[in-house]
Amino acid sequence: MPLTNLQTRAVETLVHPYTNQATFRDTGPLVLERGKGVYVYDTEGKPYLEGMAGLWCTALGYDNEELVEAAAAQMRKLPFAHLFTAKSHDPGIELAEKLKEIAPVPISKVFFCNSGSEANDSQMKMIWYMNNALGRPNKKKIISRVKAYHGVTIASASLTGLPNNHIDFDLPIARVLHTSCPHHYRFAKDGESEEDFATRCAVELEELILKEGPDTVAAFIAEPVMGAGGVIVPPKTYFPKIMAVCAKYDVFMISDEVICGFGRLGTAFGCTTLNYKPNSISIAKALSSAYLPIGGVMIPEEMYQALITESKKIGTFGHGFTYSGHPVSAAVAIKTLEIYKRDRIFETAAKNAPQFQKRLHALANHPLVGETRGLGLVGGVELSADKRSKTPFDPKKLVGPKLVGFAQAGGLIVRPIGDVISICPPLVIKPAEIDELFDKLAVALDKTLDWAKGEQLLAAA
Ligand SMILES: Cc1ncc(COP(=O)(O)O)c(C=O)c1O
């Protein structure tokens, strides 16, 4: 199909993130124009059920007037004010207070930024700063995990454990290490139980800390459920075992709640569902239901005390973004948190999760599906050329993107992570819409199966 005028303009003007810049010149983008509820509409008026809540973020859907009003009111009152050099504003203060109230662990202060990447960058800088303040300048290495996703800035992309974020970007930077990924289906040994696999992950973390030297390891960072690495739900006992290792070697634990925070797993923060208590927390995305960019780092008292120590020594805390705690973003986030509480959004998500998970896991019987996995209102469907041997498809055949193309043609947006199809709808999705989502996904799976058979991609039966 020839590209439309808007598609051509997009191709000629924009670098689209996470897009194959070469093939994109021929395919062009899907151009969206408006949204309502859990649906978005393209420029031809065709509706799509937004099965990914944008990028795991539009928790309240696409037409929340209260959020629009909150932004407009704040824009009229004070469209910008910063938090630098001892200045403050009401929305920033109130939002920090509200976050402290709902935090799953004792939080002393909140530092605001604009994105998940900036939150994780800030975490890393503050941990280095803290350990300098505490007189342990060698304790600086940060351990992340293979397949983790923590963002794309130089520090956060280094924490990310995915090849495409490293290759030819000359990353990761020094002092960032990656330990094993807690994905039982892919990485467990033959016959290894989930429990034994979780134990091995913890042992491997301990071995890495000992190899590097505990005096050099500052922190461990993890998402409760790994999102952009392929929706990976760890074994039940994984985090308690990992936390014991962190505690043993005085390793600070950062929970990256950029996807799992704010109800995605049915609780306010993912660490509660996964049964661990981090030292600090990164937030973004659903903090404002993505209506405006805002992220944050929720820090404990010991880290705050270190900022005071360093301020006494240096004269200031030399970190912050022009838009840290932007008053309009903060006002929208305050309203978002108010709606979450008033409308019991997390509880409703938790109530709808069994239906979502049931429909997700029913897909496991499909000939193309190797594994289905999920928790709360997030799910992943891993495609496989051979169910029994778990053989993946040749990545060059782009089976996942093919399926996503069929889904899109059928009015459903989901995302391919290689051959894992990720699903993460707005938290306000209704039971009938959950059914519609999975009905459409099942049709796309069948179409992909027919295509894959034609291409002879499946292992012989
Ligand atoms: C767990 C996690 N951390 C950090 C990020 C980076 O956030 P951003 O894209 O806002 O920089 C993401 C983005 O998807 C994420 O999923």
Side-chain angles (χ1 to χ4, degrees):
M1 283 245 289
L3 299 186
T4 63
N5 177 278
L6 260 180
Q7 286 177 317
T8 306
R9 283 165 55 204
V11 168
E12 296 308 338
T13 53
L14 282 164
V15 175
H16 287 77
Y18 279 92
T19 298
N20 180 325
Q21 304 296 322
T23 55
F24 178 65
R25 294 198 63 79
D26 298 324
T27 59
L30 168 68
V31 186
L32 297 176
E33 197 173 63
R34 64 193 177 87
K36 190 165 176 47
V38 297
Y39 297 89
V40 288
Y41 297 78
D42 69 15
T43 43
E44 311 294 307
K46 176 177 167 179
Y48 301 83
L49 199 166
E50 229 311 353
M52 271 302 290
L55 290 171
W56 332 77
C57 53
T58 50
L60 294 175
Y62 287 84
D63 57 353
N64 194 298
E65 278 301 321
E66 286 183 280
L67 298 186
V68 176
E69 277 309 313
Q74 184 58 42
M75 276 206 182
R76 283 190 201 101
K77 195 166 157 194
L78 181 65
F80 178 74
H82 60 79
L83 299 176
F84 280 40
T85 53
K87 298 202 174 48
S88 206
H89 51 69
D90 201 345
I93 298 164
E94 191 182 333
L95 181 58
E97 281 171 355
K98 288 207 149 47
L99 286 167
K100 282 182 62 169
E101 264 170 40
I102 62 169
V105 289
I107 289 300
S108 174
K109 305 287 177 288
V110 184
F111 170 80
F112 287 117
C113 53
N114 307 287
S115 68
S117 299
E118 285 180 4
N120 290 326
D121 258 41
S122 300
Q123 291 270 18
M124 209 153 143
K125 285 180 74 179
M126 285 201 260
I127 280 160
W128 288 347
Y129 209 62
M130 177 177 77
N131 280 351
N132 286 329
L134 293 174
R136 40 193 207 188
N138 293 326
K139 201 168 169 70
K140 297 284 169 56
K141 291 174 190 163
I142 319 274
I143 300 182
S144 177
R145 301 175 297 172
V146 170
K147 293 198 177 222
Y149 190 81
H150 297 297
V152 295
T153 55
I154 287 177
S156 65
S158 296
L159 296 171
T160 290
L162 297 167
N164 288 349
N165 298 99
H166 292 167
I167 298 169
D168 288 349
F169 286 116
D170 294 3
L171 296 174
I173 54 170
R175 303 196 289 192
V176 174
L177 308 159
H178 294 88
T179 188
S180 22
C181 168
H183 188 193
H184 184 267
Y185 172 78
R186 273 281 157 234
F187 300 117
K189 293 178 179 159
D190 268 354
E192 194 175 30
S193 68
E194 293 234 349
E195 172 87 34
D196 290 348
F197 174 61
T199 304
R200 181 158 64 82
C201 288
V203 168
E204 285 168 6
L205 173 63
E206 180 159 20
E207 284 169 355
L208 181 60
I209 294 171
L210 290 172
K211 180 172 141 259
E212 295 293 326
D215 293 349
T216 72
V217 178
F220 174 77
I221 181 166
E223 304 151 76
V225 169
M226 298 170 101
V231 189
I232 295 163
V233 183
K236 274 202 173 58
T237 56
Y238 171 79
F239 273 110
K241 289 177 198 287
I242 289 282
M243 292 304 293
V245 175
C246 290
K248 186 167 169 189
Y249 298 104
D250 192 12
V251 170
F252 192 90
M253 202 282 175
I254 306 162
S255 193
D256 181 344
E257 301 267 356
V258 167
I259 288 179
C260 297
F262 308 107
R264 179 53 57 190
L265 306 182
T267 48
F269 290 87
C271 60
T272 307
T273 305
L274 273 294
N275 194 18
Y276 66 95
K277 292 194 179 300
N279 297 97
S280 71
I281 297 174
S282 294
I283 50 175
K285 294 192 190 268
L287 169 57
S288 61
S289 188
Y291 276 43
L292 281 174
I294 183 163
V297 179
M298 300 164 70
I299 65 168
E301 181 63 19
E302 62 170 325
M303 186 174 255
Y304 176 60
Q305 284 304 324
L307 304 188
I308 290 183
T309 307
E310 287 294 295
S311 294
K312 284 181 188 156
K313 184 175 101 189
I314 301 168
T316 187
F317 169 56
H319 181 65
F321 304 95
T322 298
Y323 301 135
S324 281
H326 191 293
V328 183
S329 301
V332 170
I334 291 166
K335 185 54 82 179
T336 305
L337 296 185
E338 193 184 307
I339 295 170
Y340 287 156
K341 190 171 172 188
R342 184 195 68 204
D343 296 351
R344 303 179 64 79
I345 298 292
F346 305 163
E347 291 84 344
T348 306
K351 201 172 109 245
N352 290 335
Q355 181 203 352
F356 179 92
Q357 295 296 329
K358 191 170 163 217
R359 290 292 316 252
L360 171 74
H361 292 306
L363 299 175
N365 297 324
H366 193 276
L368 268 191
V369 176
E371 189 192 35
T372 51
R373 45 188 186 258
L375 206 56
L377 288 185
V378 63
V381 178
E382 180 155 346
L383 308 177
S384 168
D386 184 348
K387 274 172 118 65
R388 260 169 307 163
S389 66
K390 304 183 185 176
T391 311
F393 287 106
D394 174 355
K396 290 201 188 69
K397 300 294 179 191
L398 300 174
V399 180
K402 190 80 190 173
L403 188 150
V404 167
F406 284 130
Q408 191 169 299
L412 170 68
I413 294 180
V414 285
R415 179 162 169 205
I417 300 171
D419 286 341
V420 179
I421 309 304
S422 54
I423 311 151
C424 184
L427 297 183
V428 293
I429 191 167
K430 298 189 181 79
E433 293 163 342
I434 293 176
D435 281 334
E436 180 188 337
L437 189 164
F438 285 103
D439 289 347
K440 288 189 158 145
L441 191 56
V443 171
L445 269 167
D446 287 344
K447 289 197 165 147
T448 312
L449 179 62
D450 288 346
W451 167 81
K453 280 182 183 159
E455 299 282 314
Q456 301 190 325
L457 298 180
L458 289 163

